[in-house]
Amino acid sequence: MQGFGRGRWLQIAAPVDLYRTARAEVVPPARSDAGASRRYAKVKRGLEILLRDRPGCAVRVKLGGNEVPRGTGFGSSTADLGAALRAGMDALGLRGSCEAVVRAALQVEPTSGSLLSGLVLFDHRRGTIREPLGPPPTLNILCIRLPGAVDTVTFNRGLPTRLPEHALRAWRHAFGLCAEGIAHGDAGKIGAAATASAAAARHLGCPPAPPGLEACARGTTALGILRAHSGTVWGLLYPEDETPAPEEVADILKHGGAITAPALPARSSATVASLRLIGGGCRVAPSSDMRLSSRIDARGPPEVRSEADAAPPL
């Protein structure tokens, strides 16, 4: 969920089991070409920020892992940044916490709280608020993607400077309800909070839910509706043992008039993807070569967890 509270734009990301990986090596400064393509310009900027107090140091980063649609709210940029920055730190032998990764990422763009362990109430624009809420309960998200794309930086720049009091009350209640649900493992409260946040997003200029989504949620006994506030992704939240087949939900939405796009991976023909809610944070990736993967945040669904194989823990 995402909204305004305590004088800040706040977010509780919903990380899911998709991963970006990064492999880094130390190279002479002239050969550093990480993020050379336009697609990875943010990664290049993040590495520059990470290294600006380390003259003479340079790294080359290769990204891989799950293919995720970009500009849809899955937190793909955060995943790229988290993976690349953490891999770069490991390659340079830099120890510390994920703080350096988060700090550098925030200087590039608003960043998902899924770079932090567990589930977190996070000031995703400045990082001034980061309250651990606990581990995620066992839940699944059926993810639906609409056509189109949203630029995160442009979206955040266009957020209103004044908000109606009833919207602020709704967010206060929803953030409190979500935190309580996570603390006590109450999936119903988490779902209700996410649904309230999705509804309040209209005050941010976000479009309404696609046709038939609310009816689909009721008909399949979903716990709640999630949305990527700065994207085109929606999700339905379910207990693990009560999750309907993605094909069933896709069929309901189709008959309800919803126009959707392939969900995951980016070139798949499936319009609904089943993902698992997980905690964020940095960890060692289970592979024989050094790499770092960032778990993508489902901010609505989407945003991220990072992992580095055979690397010193941060």
Side-chain angles (χ1 to χ4, degrees):
M1 57 175 298
Q2 185 170 316
F4 194 82
R6 306 188 199 178
R8 295 285 186 271
W9 291 101
L10 300 174
Q11 174 201 89
I12 300 176
V16 296
D17 55 341
L18 295 169
Y19 303 86
R20 285 294 274 166
T21 65
R23 184 171 188 159
E25 61 176 328
V26 179
V27 297
R31 292 180 55 208
S32 179
D33 59 357
S37 69
R38 184 177 179 184
R39 175 176 179 179
Y40 296 120
K42 293 176 181 178
V43 170
K44 182 176 181 180
R45 174 60 180 151
L47 289 170
E48 290 171 348
I49 292 170
L50 185 68
L51 298 172
R52 64 187 173 193
D53 295 328
R54 301 172 180 88
C57 291
V59 294
R60 175 182 293 151
V61 174
K62 181 178 180 180
L63 286 159
N66 291 117
E67 183 183 5
V68 181
R70 307 181 72 80
T72 59
F74 264 107
S76 58
S77 293
T78 294
D80 289 348
L81 279 165
L85 293 173
R86 172 63 195 274
M89 289 182 66
D90 286 344
L92 291 163
L94 300 176
R95 289 182 174 270
S97 67
C98 285
E99 174 62 30
V101 172
V102 174
R103 187 168 56 245
L106 283 168
Q107 293 180 64
V108 177
E109 67 170 4
T111 296
S112 166
S114 51
L115 283 174
L116 302 166
S117 298
L119 300 180
V120 182
L121 177 66
F122 186 57
D123 167 9
H124 58 284
R125 301 178 81 179
R126 303 179 185 177
T128 58
I129 297 174
R130 53 183 79 184
E131 295 182 5
L133 301 177
T138 304
L139 296 171
N140 288 337
I141 298 170
L142 288 189
C143 168
I144 301 106
R145 182 164 72 99
L146 305 186
V150 176
D151 180 78
T152 301
V153 174
T154 302
F155 173 83
N156 278 271
R157 285 176 179 166
L159 289 173
T161 55
R162 301 192 57 159
L163 293 159
E165 181 57 35
H166 66 275
L168 298 177
R169 286 197 302 268
W171 276 315
R172 281 196 296 270
H173 174 71
F175 277 118
L177 188 65
C178 191
E180 184 179 343
I182 295 169
H184 298 287
D186 190 328
K189 289 183 177 180
I190 297 172
T195 302
S197 179
R202 69 183 185 275
H203 299 294
L204 309 180
C206 296
L213 183 63
E214 293 180 353
C216 182
R218 291 191 298 270
T220 58
T221 64
L223 295 169
I225 297 174
L226 300 86
R227 73 173 302 157
H229 294 70
S230 58
T232 61
V233 178
W234 292 78
L236 299 175
L237 190 68
Y238 298 93
E240 184 178 43
D241 57 353
E242 299 177 23
T243 307
E247 297 80 9
E248 176 186 347
V249 170
D251 190 58
I252 294 172
L253 291 172
K254 181 179 179 181
H255 284 86
I259 299 175
T260 57
L264 292 170
R267 295 188 179 91
S268 169
S269 59
T271 57
V272 178
S274 183
L275 305 170
R276 182 168 55 91
L277 180 69
I278 57 178
C282 299
R283 71 178 186 183
V284 173
S287 81
S288 59
D289 57 340
M290 186 177 294
R291 69 180 185 180
L292 178 119
S293 48
S294 273
R295 176 159 72 202
I296 292 182
D297 143 27
R299 283 203 315 241
E303 309 88 73
V304 176
R305 184 176 87 169
S306 302
E307 321 184 43
D309 173 59
L314 295 190

